[in-house]
Amino acid sequence: MTRLGAAIRNLARIHRAALVFTLASLAVWTGWNYGRALCHPIADLACGFYTDHYSIIGLTRAFVEFGPDAVYLQPRGEVGRPPSDGEQEALPPDVQQAIEVRIVDEWPADKPFISTYAPIPAFYPPGIFLLYGPAATVYSFSDISFAETNRLTIELLLVYAHITVFLLLIRASARSRIGLVVAALGYAMVIHWTLNGFSEGAWIAPLLLTPRYLVRRQPIPTLLTFLLAVFVHFRALFYLPWGAEGGVRLLANRAWRPWSAGRGVALAAISVMGIASAAAFFVLLGDMAGYSRTNPFHPGYEEFDLAKLVSLVLVAAAGSALLLWQRAFREVVMLVWIALVIATLPQINPAGAIVLLPWLANPEVEDGRGWVQETRVITGIFILGIVFPESIGVQWIPTAVSHLVG
């Protein structure tokens, strides 16, 4: 009982420290967000260079107003109509700086449909619109400007991201000191890309919990957390092996027995999220050809870099060999799958580096064998350095400070 009591007290201490740090961090970045002068109406850290959050606000408004067909069965550039010269001149100055503006007659004239990637539909599952719904609602039904709506969106993404920060801290630091390295790296990546308007820092939160349930052979919460992430972003399919193992266990073990109301609600949620995500994915699959092919790891694309692909293969092979030696078969499957997905995507998005965090931060090692966590983290950091070098630096911190003092 003494040992158990000490473990409980240590766990409570970790949770308190993680909560204090999370709240302090959210306060600091909220102060930054509302204390800075916007350098661009999109309100991102990079001053309008590369982001998509304002586009998803437009898609959310179209989804609510016209239904799924408006965002899944037609290119974004076909929503509404082009503005006339007079309408263009009458738009607010911040709206005029947007890339793609189209007039929707049912909407206020000063709040048109604004989007990016005009030739293709929205390649997002339906759950993404829940994240952006609050900002889209405020923009649609108040006098808030386009620029201030984007600032509000950054703030909402910061709130969501700090849920991930809290889970990352308590998961990564749970069992090993190397977890603290992952927590620090993960925190920097999550905040960096959240300030740039990306939602990756939000939707990976449930994936941080998935391996806990997987190792404990609890298929219903495994599938619930995995599909929640997929329901919000298709990039969560990086963790398809976890979801597949959970599904096999659910069917093999008949985990819905004995039946209960709680299990019924969970299975209903799994079914709804799974069906909605799969339907959107397969409807959109043919439209992936509309994306520019710029992945340097894909042999068939214009920017293919053989040296980079060979480097990725060598790192994955070395990590897999070490994990096989430690009989960590689940980790080998995940590593091979991650490398395969990276090599087959149309594009490699620097913000996508965040997707590796649930794997790197996972403290669950079945039977506690060998140096599995250390092997996983070292291999993952090498992959980050090869595939997402922009995401492991801290050059963005001076940029963030300059927004306040410059």
Side-chain angles (χ1 to χ4, degrees):
M1 289 300 294
T2 302
R3 184 176 298 176
L4 176 61
I8 292 174
R9 287 193 296 272
N10 185 55
L11 186 63
R13 180 184 58 81
I14 292 173
H15 280 63
R16 283 196 302 271
L19 180 60
V20 169
F21 180 90
T22 300
L23 293 176
S25 172
L26 179 58
V28 167
W29 290 113
T30 295
W32 174 87
N33 188 32
Y34 281 98
R36 63 188 169 128
L38 296 183
C39 58
H40 192 280
I42 294 176
D44 61 320
L45 179 66
C47 298
F49 175 68
Y50 178 66
T51 188
D52 199 33
H53 60 281
Y54 66 98
S55 178
I56 305 178
I57 291 176
L59 292 168
T60 302
R61 298 172 70 205
F63 184 90
V64 173
E65 180 78 23
F66 305 115
D69 291 359
V71 296
Y72 290 132
L73 298 182
Q74 66 178 355
R76 307 181 199 193
E78 294 182 8
V79 176
R81 58 177 174 80
S84 65
D85 291 342
E87 288 171 327
Q88 179 70 30
E89 293 175 1
L91 291 173
D94 54 356
V95 174
Q96 292 186 28
Q97 295 185 51
I99 296 174
E100 182 75 19
V101 177
R102 294 182 67 85
I103 300 298
V104 177
D105 293 325
E106 293 87 347
W107 294 355
D110 61 339
K111 295 186 177 181
F113 177 78
I114 302 171
S115 185
T116 55
Y117 301 105
I120 57 176
F123 203 81
Y124 299 105
I128 193 75
F129 304 124
L130 297 177
L131 289 184
Y132 291 85
T137 300
V138 171
Y139 185 55
S140 296
F141 298 105
S142 75
D143 295 330
I144 192 172
S145 68
F146 174 64
E148 285 303 317
T149 300
N150 288 319
R151 192 201 297 265
L152 172 62
T153 303
I154 297 294
E155 182 61 28
L156 288 171
L157 292 176
L158 280 169
V159 172
Y160 303 148
H162 277 82
I163 298 173
T164 295
V165 167
F166 176 74
L167 292 176
L168 179 65
L169 291 173
I170 62 175
R171 295 286 290 159
S173 61
R175 291 188 183 175
S176 68
R177 291 183 179 179
I178 199 168
L180 296 176
V181 175
V182 175
L185 176 64
Y187 176 79
M189 287 196 296
V190 166
I191 298 300
H192 176 195
W193 293 112
T194 299
L195 298 183
N196 271 311
F198 291 93
S199 60
E200 271 74 4
W203 59 261
I204 67 164
L207 288 172
L208 290 166
L209 299 174
T210 304
R212 171 184 176 87
Y213 302 121
L214 193 63
V215 167
R216 287 162 176 73
R217 291 175 169 78
Q218 297 175 293
I220 291 179
T222 296
L223 283 172
L224 194 62
T225 51
F226 167 71
L227 286 173
L228 177 57
V230 174
F231 185 61
V232 177
H233 206 293
F234 287 132
R235 201 169 280 130
L237 291 173
F238 265 83
Y239 293 91
L240 185 60
W242 286 356
E245 183 178 343
V248 169
R249 290 190 183 280
L250 175 69
L251 297 176
N253 302 337
R254 299 184 178 184
W256 58 85
R257 296 181 176 179
W259 184 260
S260 68
R263 284 190 175 90
V265 171
L267 289 171
I270 287 170
S271 300
V272 169
M273 291 188 297
I275 292 171
S277 301
F281 183 83
F282 286 109
V283 164
L284 294 166
L285 195 57
D287 294 300
M288 286 190 71
Y291 278 93
S292 57
R293 307 301 176 113
T294 59
N295 181 0
F297 297 89
H298 195 299
Y301 294 167
E302 54 265 33
E303 296 187 11
F304 173 62
D305 188 325
L306 179 60
K308 285 187 174 183
L309 179 61
V310 171
S311 300
L312 174 64
V313 171
L314 289 176
V315 168
S320 297
L322 288 171
L323 291 167
L324 277 173
W325 179 64
Q326 297 171 87
R327 302 179 62 82
F329 302 116
R330 181 185 291 124
E331 301 293 345
V332 174
V333 171
M334 272 300 306
L335 177 53
V336 171
W337 176 254
I338 286 171
L340 182 63
V341 172
I342 289 172
T344 55
L345 287 172
Q347 299 176 352
I348 291 294
N349 183 335
I354 296 177
V355 78
L356 296 187
L357 287 181
W359 182 58
L360 296 181
N362 174 22
E364 313 292 342
V365 178
E366 211 163 5
D367 301 329
R369 292 168 294 194
W371 294 76
V372 174
Q373 288 180 328
E374 290 78 3
T375 302
R376 181 203 301 138
V377 170
I378 293 171
T379 303
I381 289 176
F382 269 94
I383 291 175
L384 287 172
I386 294 169
V387 183
F388 306 104
E390 304 95 329
S391 290
I392 58 175
V394 293
Q395 300 91 336
W396 60 272
I397 295 178
T399 302
V401 173
S402 71
H403 280 226
L404 287 176
V405 301

